[in-house]
Amino acid sequence: MIEVKHLVKKYGEHLAVDDLSFTLEKGQILGFLGPNGAGKSTTMNILTGYISATEGTVMINGHDIFDEPEEAKKCIGYLPELPPLYQDMTVREYLNFVADIKFVKKNEKRKMIDRIMRMTKITEVSERLIKQLSKGYKQRVGLAQAIVGFPEVIILDEPTVGLDPMQIIEIRDLIKELSKNHTIILSSHILSEVSAICDQVMIINKGRLIVSDTPDNLSQHIGGSKGLHLEVKGEQEAIKKALETIPEITKLEFDKNAKGGIVKLSAYSNEENDIREAVFYALSDAKCPIYDMHSTKMSLENIFLELTQDSPKPHASKNSNRLLRKNKKKDEDGIPAETAEAMNQEPEQKEEN
């Protein structure tokens, strides 16, 4: 459904996307993660045809986004971080306008719009001006426009920004429902959200792919996925020294907030290793009694920090037989990637949902 090969984007001398390749099958939900300035928004703007690539190819449902932009864009629904809303239109007027742009058949338009408004829970505000809506409702209207026409590919950049907890759950359920018939790329800074709904997670940093795997398998890429949470009485240095004698332990994390002579920590090993017995005897020999021990797994937040902080510096893309796409469309040459990403970010609003 989506095939990206050797994607490169340069702003002057700055390399915003560096030799990025991945594929996504129909019905999958891809969580697209990376720190600010990693190149997420730049990549999604290229996938949607909003900006051109310096090098590489993007195929959407068999259509090249650069050579067949009209056919490729018919397959894409896009919600950018700053929803493209016309503030002086009512919600229904705006969705009618979007349906016309997407060439939805007139005899199907009203029924489709009514269905999409029910799906996104905006029917009750359908006759209100968009500028009068809260940030949460505006976000849902933005999601509704991405769904109009029911495109094969839906790309969502921070779809739950500004929503309250109940609305976030509703949008998660909607995304899961959409994935039955659509391929979805989801970018979010809420990592628990990504972990809950995505089939595949891709982490990029400095424009480069760091890792791509299922949420459950991500921790294996940092040398430790199975772990124990421990509460041990004793000096931290003595506990650390005792546990470092166990070769199966790949990582130790100490809780800095421990008090009362009780040290809290997590010890990680590879999936195939059960370290409980070795931990018991090592701490027993060190005269450090265990007050609590239970299995744990690294959170997606910890995995994300580990992978992005320790990732290598981006390398310069090598020249090859890949297609060099210059001046395919007028672009923002010379603009640093950080500026381009900042232009995509929505300013803070104090408005309540």
Side-chain angles (χ1 to χ4, degrees):
M1 180 57 68
I2 299 176
E3 186 175 10
V4 176
K5 291 185 178 180
H6 306 298
L7 196 64
V8 175
K9 178 63 181 177
K10 293 182 180 179
Y11 291 100
E13 295 299 315
H14 187 91
L15 196 57
V17 180
D18 184 6
D19 199 19
L20 185 63
S21 298
F22 65 92
T23 58
L24 192 60
E25 300 300 326
K26 183 177 180 179
Q28 285 189 310
I29 305 176
L30 172 68
F32 195 34
L33 304 180
N36 288 332
K40 301 188 303 298
S41 292
T42 299
T43 301
M44 286 190 287
N45 283 333
I46 294 172
L47 294 181
T48 57
Y50 182 70
I51 62 175
S52 64
T54 306
E55 192 175 339
T57 59
V58 175
M59 302 296 291
I60 307 291
N61 201 21
H63 302 289
D64 190 306
I65 193 66
F66 306 116
D67 294 337
E68 304 173 85
E70 289 188 11
E71 292 302 316
K73 289 177 183 180
K74 286 179 183 178
C75 304
I76 300 171
Y78 182 36
L79 173 63
E81 190 171 356
L82 182 61
L85 306 177
Y86 286 96
Q87 304 290 330
D88 291 323
M89 286 184 174
T90 66
V91 172
R92 184 177 290 276
E93 287 172 343
Y94 173 66
L95 294 180
N96 268 295
F97 170 70
V98 174
D100 289 339
I101 290 176
K102 294 186 176 183
F103 300 106
V104 175
K105 294 179 181 179
K106 287 185 178 180
N107 61 335
E108 298 177 359
K109 185 166 63 172
R110 184 177 182 85
K111 185 177 180 181
M112 176 184 291
I113 290 173
D114 286 342
R115 179 185 173 190
I116 289 171
M117 287 196 298
R118 288 194 301 270
M119 291 168 65
T120 53
K121 311 286 187 182
I122 57 174
T123 303
E124 64 188 53
V125 297
S126 62
E127 305 306 323
R128 289 177 59 182
L129 293 176
I130 291 174
K131 65 183 178 183
Q132 297 174 345
L133 301 179
S134 68
K135 183 178 178 181
Y137 270 117
K138 288 178 180 177
Q139 191 70 14
R140 288 202 258 178
V141 173
L143 179 57
Q145 67 79 28
I147 300 172
V148 169
F150 296 109
E152 288 90 343
V153 177
I154 300 175
I155 299 176
L156 308 174
D157 193 354
E158 301 289 345
T160 58
V161 168
L163 304 184
D164 64 37
M166 182 57 69
Q167 292 169 338
I168 289 174
I169 293 171
E170 290 172 351
I171 296 301
R172 283 181 186 174
D173 291 340
L174 174 57
I175 291 172
K176 288 181 180 179
E177 185 67 24
L178 288 170
S179 70
K180 293 178 181 178
N181 299 301
H182 305 269
T183 302
I184 298 173
I185 296 179
L186 166 70
S187 173
S188 177
H189 284 99
I190 306 174
L191 301 188
S192 58
E193 179 177 282
V194 172
S195 182
I197 65 175
C198 292
D199 306 306
Q200 193 84 1
V201 176
M202 188 169 75
I203 299 176
I204 68 169
N205 193 22
K206 299 176 183 177
R208 295 186 64 190
L209 176 63
I210 302 304
V211 67
S212 179
D213 212 327
T214 64
D216 289 340
N217 290 340
L218 275 179
S219 56
Q220 295 181 14
H221 295 270
I222 58 174
S225 57
K226 187 177 181 180
L228 294 176
H229 176 75
L230 297 158
E231 293 184 15
V232 184
K233 186 175 182 180
E235 295 294 328
Q236 179 171 315
E237 196 57 38
I239 295 169
K240 182 180 179 183
K241 186 176 180 180
L243 294 178
E244 284 178 344
T245 64
I246 303 173
E248 291 82 6
I249 292 180
T250 57
K251 185 179 180 66
L252 292 173
E253 289 182 351
F254 286 88
D255 186 343
K256 296 179 181 179
N257 299 318
K259 295 179 181 179
I262 303 297
V263 176
K264 297 181 180 180
L265 71 144
S266 294
Y268 295 97
S269 65
N270 293 322
E271 284 285 354
E272 63 272 14
N273 295 318
D274 187 343
I275 59 173
R276 288 175 296 178
E277 189 172 325
V279 166
F280 174 83
Y281 285 117
L283 292 176
S284 176
D285 290 343
K287 309 298 183 186
C288 297
I290 299 172
Y291 278 39
D292 183 48
M293 178 169 63
H294 60 267
S295 298
T296 184
K297 275 199 170 187
M298 292 187 75
S299 67
L300 184 55
E301 285 85 354
N302 286 337
I303 295 168
F304 175 82
L305 290 172
E306 188 82 15
L307 290 171
T308 54
Q309 286 177 351
D310 296 339
S311 61
K313 294 181 179 180
H315 61 273
S317 170
K318 295 180 180 179
N319 292 325
S320 66
N321 292 327
R322 289 173 275 164
L323 177 62
L324 183 64
R325 303 185 180 278
K326 289 183 178 179
N327 301 320
K328 284 288 269 187
K329 112 192 231 196
K330 192 173 181 181
D331 208 350
E332 302 169 328
D333 290 324
I335 299 178
E338 291 86 351
T339 304
E341 292 251 338
M343 289 167 64
N344 250 343
Q345 293 184 3
E346 187 171 358
E348 270 191 19
Q349 297 183 27
K350 295 183 179 179
E351 192 173 12
E352 297 293 331
N353 290 320

